[in-house]
Amino acid sequence: MVRLLRPLVRGRTYTRPLVRGRTYTRLLHLWVPVAAISVWLWVEPRLPWVPLLVLVPVGLIPAVRVGEVMQARLLLTPDEAEADFSTRPATAWRDRWRTVLWLEIRTLLGGVAAYLSIWLPIVAYALAARAVGHETEDLPALSGEPQWAYGLLAPLPLIALYGVVVGLGEALTAAARRLLGPSAAERLSALEERTEQLLERNRIARELHDSIGHALTVAVVQAGAARAANSAEFTDRALTAIEETGRAALEDLERVLGVLRESERPAGSRPTLADAGRLLESARASGAKVDAEVTGPLETLPGHVSREGYRMLQEALTNVLRHAGAVPARVRIEVADGALTLDVRNPLPDSSVAPGRGGGLRGIRERAALLGGRAHTGPDDAGDWAVRVELPRG
């Protein structure tokens, strides 16, 4: 039974292109350049090669590839949502010459398709006419008996036409993918852009972790301290600190969401070390005794170094509050020759406590490495917990 059905299945495979819309859109794509060629041949039939010569300067225009890609997407691959075509003008000379070659191939294949689309049906009609006894001048080489034999030959030109339409459409599509697709340099550029986007998303995720984590840590510490103090005055101060920290976290969240909505939003809107005062005050309001010292002009720091330094300081102070609580903390920010040194130290209330195993301090080390610097997190010789970051001149 399977053997009997196999020819029918194969027949469906062979005839499937007849019911596909792209077969006919590809044929239309092949015919498009023929109109201009036909007009030229009607004007000057002795110079049929002139249209091919004119295509050379046309193909060297960068924007031409964009128009050809639009046609290819619409007519050659209408059922493919993500066809691998370039979306940029051909700026490099190599890509411009690829466009020229594409135009030449498209024109030549279109001429072949147009000629055979007209000639093969005429041949089929002539054979069918001979089969019923009508004499035709289209096939002078065919003569003799029996006449019915021409009827057997009549379908062959139509089958050949079917093969021409499908085959040339596939060939043209393959040429389009090859010549209108992105070059190696464009693929590398797209990969770099994608990498930049992933890095930006990773940076945004870290900023959310640092900002929201800091706010939640302050809120938890303040709420616990207010409950333990059982003092209306202290509770009022704690609620004020929670409100201010939460408000700042909401501003950070809104800013980050704005960056996600507006990909071209300038990075300069992010907080820098010039805004470090609010971090220090937030930590002090949570009960930590912060001794801060700033040496050197912060405004001379490159923007990206200052922004990342702010986030590192924020995570270091969050780590103090989260793991050590209301303990004295020493913060040193030093700027010398455009380089930044950030040092945050605090005593550990319990030697068994080992902060820094989570993602926050790991993020500090990763940020420093991306900027070409280094970061150390761990106990120092005095038994304090230290976060020391050294970032080179940007």
Side-chain angles (χ1 to χ4, degrees):
M1 186 66 178
V2 175
R3 292 181 178 179
L4 293 176
L5 293 176
R6 188 172 297 167
L8 297 178
V9 175
R10 289 178 178 175
R12 287 186 58 188
T13 302
Y14 294 148
T15 59
R16 189 175 299 169
L18 289 175
V19 296
R20 287 179 175 173
R22 69 182 183 186
T23 300
Y24 304 101
T25 58
R26 288 175 177 178
L27 180 60
L28 177 61
H29 192 275
L30 284 165
W31 280 354
V32 167
V34 177
I37 296 177
S38 300
V39 172
W40 171 257
L41 293 178
W42 181 75
V43 175
E44 185 56 73
R46 294 173 297 177
L47 300 174
W49 47 268
V50 170
L52 295 177
L53 185 62
V54 172
L55 290 177
V56 174
V58 172
L60 293 177
I61 301 175
V64 169
R65 182 169 69 167
V66 177
E68 292 297 317
V69 167
M70 292 178 59
Q71 294 182 54
R73 288 184 183 274
L74 181 64
L75 299 177
L76 297 181
T77 58
D79 50 353
E80 297 182 24
E82 297 294 336
D84 191 17
F85 293 120
S86 178
T87 58
R88 301 176 179 178
T91 54
W93 282 103
R94 179 183 177 86
D95 295 330
R96 296 186 187 187
W97 284 112
R98 290 171 65 213
T99 306
V100 171
L101 181 58
W102 156 253
L103 292 175
E104 300 288 352
I105 292 176
R106 178 186 178 185
T107 302
L108 292 174
L109 291 182
V112 172
Y115 177 78
L116 294 179
S117 297
I118 297 174
W119 183 73
L120 289 175
I122 292 176
V123 173
Y125 170 78
L127 290 172
R130 286 289 183 88
V132 296
H134 292 288
E135 294 294 334
T136 61
E137 297 181 357
D138 299 301
L139 299 172
L142 295 178
S143 61
E145 299 293 343
Q147 295 290 335
W148 55 266
Y150 293 105
L152 298 178
L153 298 176
L156 294 182
L158 298 180
I159 295 175
L161 177 61
Y162 168 71
V164 166
V165 171
V166 175
L168 290 181
E170 291 289 343
L172 189 65
T173 303
R177 296 184 191 277
R178 178 69 176 174
L179 299 175
L180 296 181
S183 62
E186 290 174 325
R187 291 182 187 276
L188 180 60
S189 177
L191 180 61
E192 290 176 349
E193 289 182 3
R194 177 60 177 166
T195 302
E196 288 294 332
Q197 291 175 358
L198 293 177
L199 290 175
E200 179 69 8
R201 291 182 179 275
N202 189 33
R203 183 193 60 76
I204 289 174
R206 285 176 179 167
E207 286 201 9
L208 282 177
H209 170 273
D210 295 344
S211 180
I212 305 302
H214 175 78
L216 291 177
T217 299
V218 169
V220 170
V221 171
Q222 290 282 10
R227 180 188 300 172
N230 195 23
S231 167
E233 182 180 357
F234 186 88
T235 300
D236 184 65
R237 291 201 305 270
L239 291 176
T240 301
I242 292 174
E243 179 185 6
E244 292 177 353
T245 306
R247 195 185 306 278
L250 287 175
E251 292 177 358
D252 283 346
L253 179 61
E254 181 63 26
R255 177 186 50 75
V256 170
L257 293 178
V259 171
L260 291 175
R261 288 191 296 263
E262 305 173 18
S263 59
E264 297 183 357
R265 183 166 178 167
S269 61
R270 304 203 304 267
T272 65
L273 281 176
D275 306 308
R278 74 176 189 178
L279 292 179
L280 301 175
E281 291 302 323
S282 176
R284 292 187 180 108
S286 298
K289 301 176 179 61
V290 180
D291 176 21
E293 179 182 345
V294 179
T295 304
L298 293 177
E299 63 275 7
T300 62
L301 283 175
H304 63 285
V305 173
S306 187
R307 289 188 293 268
E308 295 302 317
Y310 176 92
R311 291 305 178 189
M312 294 178 190
L313 175 61
Q314 184 178 54
E315 179 54 38
L317 292 175
T318 301
N319 188 68
V320 172
L321 295 173
R322 181 178 298 157
H323 297 285
V327 299
R330 301 186 304 277
V331 177
R332 299 291 182 267
I333 304 174
E334 181 181 355
V335 179
D337 297 329
L340 170 66
T341 300
L342 179 65
D343 190 272
V344 180
R345 298 175 186 267
N346 63 275
L348 293 175
D350 186 349
S351 59
S352 64
V353 177
R357 298 292 186 261
L361 296 182
R362 183 176 64 249
I364 290 179
R365 294 188 290 268
E366 292 175 354
R367 287 177 187 268
L370 287 175
L371 293 175
R374 57 183 179 177
H376 168 76
T377 59
D380 61 8
D381 296 336
D384 293 340
W385 184 263
V387 175
R388 183 177 177 84
V389 179
E390 297 177 359
L391 300 180
R393 187 185 189 94

